[in-house]
Amino acid sequence: MNRRSYLKSLAIIGVIASSFSGYKWYQLHQSVNPRDLLDKELLIAEIAEIIIPQTDTPGAKSANVHKYIMDVIINCTDVKVQNHFIRGLNDFEDYAISSYEKPFLKCSTKEKTSIVQHFADNANYKYAILNKINNKFLGENFFSKFRNLTIEGYCRSKSGATEGLCYDYIPGNYDACIPIKINQKSWATK
Amino acid sequence: MFINRNFIDAGTYDAIVIGSGISGGWAAMELCKKGMKTLLLERGRDVRHIVDYPTANLHPWDFKFGMNNTNIDKESDPVQSNAYSPASKHFYIRDQDQPYIQDKPFNWFRGNQVGGRSLTWGRQCYRLSDLDFEANVKEGVAVDWPVRYKDIAPWYSYVESHIGVSGQKENLKQLPDGEFLSPMELNCIEKHLAQSIKKNDQNRLLTIARVANLTRGWDNRGPCQNRNLCERGCPFGGYFSSNSSTIPAAMATGNLTLRPHSIVTDILYDEQKQKAKGVRIIDALTNEVLEFSSKIIFVNASTIATASILLNSTSNRFPNGFGNDSEQVGHNLMDHHSSAGASGAHDGYSDLYYKGRRPCGFLIPRFRNLSGSENHNFSRGYNIQGHGEREEWGDKSGHLTGIGKDFKAQLTTPGAWTVWMAGWGECLPYYENTVSLDKSIKDKWGQPIIKIDFSFKTNENDMMDDIKNTSVQMLENAGFKNVNGFNYNKPGGSTIHEMGTARMGKDAKTSVLNGYNQMHDVRNVFITDGSFMTSSACQNPSLTYMAFTARACEYAYQQLKKGDL
């Protein structure tokens, strides 16, 4: 390693260290009390419903997506992801208060939507590579994680699969190439 | 754990088969049909066809965590949880119960139950050809196969006619046609890719996969209902497994004794008769040690377990392992690589879709190094397997942005056509890729721990580079966009095609088995799981194991009749 690349690497380490302090690491690795998540059930249900709303087909709330999200976060993700997720929900609350001076659940539908929209807009970097780096060092963005779990929970739910999508329990045949129908929905499973 | 050391003579049979997976099931059926009283020993629990498939009829919403494994699963099964989902976990072992040592990362996915991994296999059925059987001798690699295609071809037909294989005849020398039921059908994007490949290179073609999924009723099973939930066990018997086919057939003869929970520790050697006299097991439920005797023994424990049984079966005659004069037992471990490939999306055919979930994809048969005059930086070759589909919610969740009504509409309607494909590549037999026993540590049965030392090498890595580049090129030539070449760099074992640890060969000094899967050194023992493979070829191997098993059973039976065993 020559002097120039040595200095460069020091600079990079400095940048990483400053953006990712020891305290933050410590916070992320503290174990989580499931209660902290269960307390936020209504908030989770509201956000999920704004992501996948009721239209002519059921939305996330009636599909019980919030239960799925909590079950998966508590049982299937590591402590780091759990902390990240709870912190993300807190950020949501904070943003509601700083923008509208009231808790998220007290906001109007329009206000709620604009809060969720704000987080959706900031969920991803424009460049895929930055998302990759971010996911690697800090974990998946809170909102992306939330949205992906909402998708999973909805599309695997009974109402999501059978009404929001097209569920074919026992197809029998395989029709390899058929004309698509008007308003064709995706298959729920593959 | 208390193990009862008073050996109990538990009975005498004509034949003992160790392991009830795809090859053991075949051995049991063939031997029983020949009128031999056969004991089929299985390390794990019993799994009865249909009644023991608890998840087979479940809906997506019946799984509380979707297809996510729990933290407890991931911690207690650090290997198996990479292969199973909540829908198939019950067909995999618990890692904590049966630890092994990985000198280098190696995924050993195990299904210790009646039927073994025939319940969860990929069902691809491809014949080897003389391109494969002659490769070692032509290149001076390892040892020559003692078998050529003409020797095994009738047995391929025999097996295919029993299990039912759907597929398309293509008249290729490197991938011989078989006895096929009518093929599954390619969808629009796959046909599009097939046409482009044919147009761009006359040596290449894309065909529908050849799979043991039934396109019509067969042997009182099926047809396949296109649910694509095979790994859960099929309540329609739509695909072949030991459970749905060979074990019931063996049972129907009245000659089969099936004994689950039987951990084989040793094959016992009779010094005077210079033959195997039987096997020793630990009953996993009672911890009793039992001995069974028989005239012949078929070892079908799957290659890593088979090697470990041989290495553990020491005697005055065989201090280094049973039938191991050649010192090859445990060596030459192979697994196909399936890490490299490409994916892409296509703008066309947006007015077309499909109905049903076909349980297979397509195959681009091997096109590399067919002639010997090609100039690549690797020997042997690969076939490409993949599938085309329209993006559904699971594919979109990674990149779909936004919220609300429009987002929902996009999420729930069919997206672009995509193709994903990867190369299944040959792995050369390297002496240093080994299975051995670490006798300093014992498992809960008091047995030594298995140690696996395996890595892919330059030939495999160079081949992966070619797979990636070639896959990208084929998709780009066919007008695909956002083409993404990849190499997942999966560790060995990930393709679940372990083989080679008791290879067959012409010379007893350099191989463990002869051309009939018979041990050179102990002539009443036959090994017909993946252990016998002298080279790996690039074809999915189960069909070959079954064909060699049926052939070995016939040979053993004839030898026994003649009094030669």
Side-chain angles (χ1 to χ4, degrees):
Chain A
M1 191 185 275
N2 63 28
R3 185 177 160 276
R4 183 182 290 240
S5 60
Y6 174 67
L7 288 176
K8 221 185 204 169
S9 67
L10 274 190
I12 289 167
I13 289 164
V15 168
I16 290 172
S18 65
S19 68
F20 193 76
S21 68
Y23 181 63
K24 203 164 172 185
W25 188 91
Y26 172 77
Q27 275 189 321
L28 282 175
H29 288 79
Q30 279 290 89
S31 66
V32 168
N33 183 353
R35 200 67 257 163
D36 291 347
L37 196 58
L38 296 175
D39 283 347
K40 299 188 190 301
E41 177 169 351
L42 290 177
L43 174 66
I44 295 170
E46 280 299 306
I47 300 172
E49 179 67 18
I50 289 167
I51 294 171
I52 301 183
Q54 168 107 30
T55 51
D56 55 336
T57 61
K61 202 188 267 181
S62 70
N64 270 328
V65 168
H66 48 288
K67 301 252 188 239
Y68 179 84
I69 293 175
M70 292 189 295
D71 279 339
V72 170
I73 289 288
I74 292 169
N75 294 285
C76 308
T77 65
D78 64 34
V79 173
K80 201 172 131 186
V81 174
Q82 292 174 357
N83 274 301
H84 217 64
F85 198 79
I86 289 174
R87 260 216 343 244
L89 288 171
N90 290 337
D91 288 349
F92 235 88
E93 302 263 41
D94 292 348
Y95 184 80
I97 288 171
S98 68
S99 305
Y100 300 105
E101 292 170 344
K102 52 190 164 187
F104 182 83
L105 291 174
K106 293 254 164 40
C107 291
S108 69
T109 306
K110 202 178 153 198
E111 288 163 347
K112 283 177 187 164
T113 305
S114 83
I115 295 169
V116 177
Q117 187 68 55
H118 166 80
F119 280 87
D121 290 345
N122 293 293
N124 302 93
Y125 293 104
K126 200 172 154 197
Y127 301 101
I129 183 74
L130 289 179
N131 286 316
K132 255 188 194 169
I133 292 169
N134 185 63
N135 290 349
K136 189 154 175 126
F137 287 101
L138 292 173
E140 189 179 357
N141 169 276
F142 159 73
F143 192 79
S144 298
K145 181 84 192 167
F146 193 108
R147 185 166 49 199
N148 287 341
L149 285 173
T150 305
I151 292 172
E152 242 178 72
Y154 179 75
C155 295
R156 287 191 186 284
S157 71
K158 186 169 186 181
S159 57
T162 61
E163 297 173 65
L165 296 153
C166 200
Y167 182 57
D168 195 356
Y169 182 42
I170 303 175
N173 296 328
Y174 178 68
D175 296 323
C177 286
I178 52 173
I180 206 159
K181 287 187 200 139
I182 298 165
N183 297 325
Q184 174 79 50
K185 293 196 177 89
S186 279
W187 298 115
T189 57
K190 59 173 164 187
Chain B
M1 178 168 289
F2 175 72
I3 307 280
N4 183 349
R5 293 287 167 197
N6 298 319
F7 303 142
I8 299 164
D9 180 356
T12 300
Y13 296 84
D14 293 326
I16 292 172
V17 178
I18 303 171
S20 62
I22 210 156
S23 66
W26 261 92
M29 178 179 75
E30 290 298 295
L31 297 170
C32 284
K33 281 184 174 175
K34 292 173 195 304
M36 299 174 75
K37 294 287 177 196
T38 302
L39 173 65
L40 177 56
L41 297 170
E42 166 54 49
R43 185 182 174 101
R45 67 187 172 97
D46 194 12
V47 172
R48 292 157 300 165
H49 184 43
I50 302 177
V51 289
D52 288 326
Y53 303 157
T55 58
N57 291 315
L58 297 186
H59 298 284
W61 51 90
D62 294 325
F63 297 90
K64 193 177 177 193
F65 309 126
M67 287 299 116
N68 299 292
N69 292 324
T70 64
N71 291 334
I72 295 169
D73 287 338
K74 286 181 268 190
E75 277 160 31
S76 56
D77 296 329
V79 176
Q80 311 302 316
S81 64
N82 292 304
Y84 69 60
S85 74
S88 60
K89 179 185 165 187
H90 50 287
F91 291 151
Y92 290 80
I93 65 150
R94 302 283 70 83
D95 278 328
Q96 280 180 333
D97 294 344
Q98 303 181 51
Y100 67 102
I101 300 166
Q102 307 175 46
D103 265 5
K104 305 181 188 79
F106 186 92
N107 285 329
W108 186 18
F109 296 122
R110 284 173 282 177
N112 292 344
Q113 65 254 330
V114 168
R117 296 182 298 193
S118 76
L119 285 161
T120 54
W121 70 309
R123 309 168 305 285
Q124 309 282 318
C125 291
Y126 303 113
R127 293 185 176 202
L128 269 59
S129 76
D130 277 335
L131 181 69
D132 306 304
F133 291 119
E134 291 172 356
N136 276 5
V137 69
K138 280 186 177 164
E139 296 169 14
V141 168
V143 296
D144 187 14
W145 280 86
V147 171
R148 289 295 180 267
Y149 179 65
K150 65 172 172 34
D151 303 316
I152 196 68
W155 294 99
Y156 274 131
S157 294
Y158 179 74
V159 166
E160 287 157 350
S161 303
H162 179 84
I163 70 177
V165 178
S166 62
Q168 175 77 49
K169 294 197 178 198
E170 297 289 0
N171 199 27
L172 298 172
K173 213 176 161 204
Q174 75 275 29
L175 187 74
D177 293 328
E179 314 296 325
F180 295 143
L181 308 181
S182 59
M184 301 249 169
E185 202 181 333
L186 296 172
N187 63 34
C188 319
I189 202 67
E190 293 165 343
K191 283 178 189 158
H192 169 87
L193 180 59
Q195 277 164 7
S196 163
I197 287 171
K198 199 173 169 189
K199 195 180 75 194
N200 285 300
D201 187 337
Q202 57 175 11
N203 286 322
R204 295 184 201 176
L205 66 84
L206 183 154
T207 186
I208 188 73
R210 298 170 177 178
V211 285
N213 286 81
L214 302 170
T215 44
R216 68 179 177 87
W218 192 256
D219 193 27
N220 294 314
R221 296 187 289 113
C224 169
Q225 299 296 307
N226 290 287
R227 303 182 330 139
N228 196 24
L229 298 175
C230 312
E231 64 161 9
R232 303 181 185 182
C234 186
F236 302 94
Y239 73 94
F240 170 84
S241 63
S242 297
N243 313 63
S244 68
S245 176
T246 47
I247 292 174
M251 205 62 93
T253 64
N255 291 326
L256 182 72
T257 304
L258 172 62
R259 196 179 196 289
H261 303 295
S262 303
I263 300 172
V264 173
T265 58
D266 302 79
I267 302 171
L268 305 168
Y269 188 68
D270 185 329
E271 308 261 349
Q272 279 184 331
K273 293 181 182 159
Q274 299 185 343
K275 287 196 293 196
K277 62 180 175 192
V279 302
R280 183 176 297 147
I281 70 155
I282 298 172
D283 184 303
L285 298 180
T286 66
N287 299 330
E288 283 176 309
V289 176
L290 306 171
E291 291 182 2
F292 298 95
S293 46
S294 64
K295 294 172 190 160
I296 59 168
I297 296 171
F298 269 68
V299 190
N300 300 81
S302 93
T303 194
I304 294 168
T306 289
S308 82
I309 291 170
L310 297 176
L311 292 170
N312 200 41
S313 305
T314 52
S315 56
N316 289 333
R317 168 68 183 84
F318 294 115
N320 299 323
F322 197 90
N324 192 19
D325 286 352
S326 67
E327 301 280 346
Q328 293 294 327
V329 170
H331 293 276
N332 313 302
L333 177 65
M334 298 172 273
D335 179 38
H336 292 136
H337 53 89
S338 57
S339 285
S343 62
H346 200 279
D347 286 341
Y349 307 98
S350 60
D351 54 341
L352 294 169
Y353 206 19
Y354 40 78
K355 182 192 174 298
R357 299 182 291 278
R358 193 189 57 196
C360 70
F362 60 76
L363 179 87
I364 303 171
R366 178 173 160 186
F367 49 84
R368 284 289 188 240
N369 293 320
L370 297 183
S371 66
S373 61
E374 292 175 44
N375 189 19
H376 301 290
N377 59 347
F378 58 90
S379 64
R380 317 288 167 108
Y382 53 86
N383 62 62
I384 289 176
Q385 304 186 15
H387 60 270
E389 62 187 358
R390 291 193 74 154
E391 285 196 312
E392 323 277 10
W393 61 266
D395 313 297
K396 290 176 175 181
S397 68
H399 57 80
L400 201 57
T401 57
I403 57 167
K405 212 175 139 196
D406 293 345
F407 171 79
K408 184 184 179 188
Q410 276 190 66
L411 179 71
T412 53
T413 48
W417 285 95
T418 58
V419 162
W420 175 97
M421 60 191 200
W424 267 240
E426 179 155 3
C427 168
L428 293 173
Y430 302 104
Y431 181 79
E432 61 271 29
N433 280 346
T434 53
V435 174
S436 58
L437 296 179
D438 187 333
K439 296 194 175 172
S440 67
I441 325 171
K442 301 280 163 72
D443 68 8
K444 67 191 239 192
W445 310 108
Q447 299 305 303
I449 301 280
I450 294 171
K451 189 161 87 173
I452 301 170
D453 182 355
F454 177 94
S455 60
F456 291 120
K457 300 186 194 298
T458 313
N459 199 64
E460 291 76 34
N461 290 325
D462 287 344
M463 194 189 296
M464 286 185 229
D465 290 343
D466 183 60
I467 292 168
K468 182 173 152 179
N469 297 335
T470 308
S471 300
V472 166
Q473 208 170 45
M474 284 192 278
L475 290 179
E476 284 179 347
N477 288 344
F480 283 78
K481 291 181 178 159
N482 301 323
V483 176
N484 170 42
F486 55 76
N487 185 345
Y488 302 144
N489 290 307
K490 294 183 284 187
S494 301
T495 310
I496 324 186
H497 292 170
E498 322 92 72
M499 57 176 105
T501 54
R503 72 184 178 197
M504 57 165 59
K506 291 169 181 163
D507 185 349
K509 289 195 198 71
T510 56
S511 59
V512 182
L513 307 171
N514 69 17
Y516 289 98
N517 299 71
Q518 181 180 32
M519 286 196 114
H520 286 300
D521 303 338
V522 192
R523 62 188 192 280
N524 66 336
V525 175
F526 295 81
I527 302 179
T528 69
D529 60 16
S531 310
F532 73 83
M533 298 288 280
T534 313
S535 68
S536 74
C538 65
Q539 293 87 325
N540 305 54
S542 297
L543 181 74
T544 298
Y545 303 167
M546 291 189 265
F548 274 82
T549 301
R551 179 168 169 268
C553 287
E554 174 64 14
Y555 177 80
Y557 174 68
Q558 294 300 341
Q559 294 281 301
L560 206 55
K561 256 198 346 197
K562 278 196 268 173
D564 285 353
L565 289 182

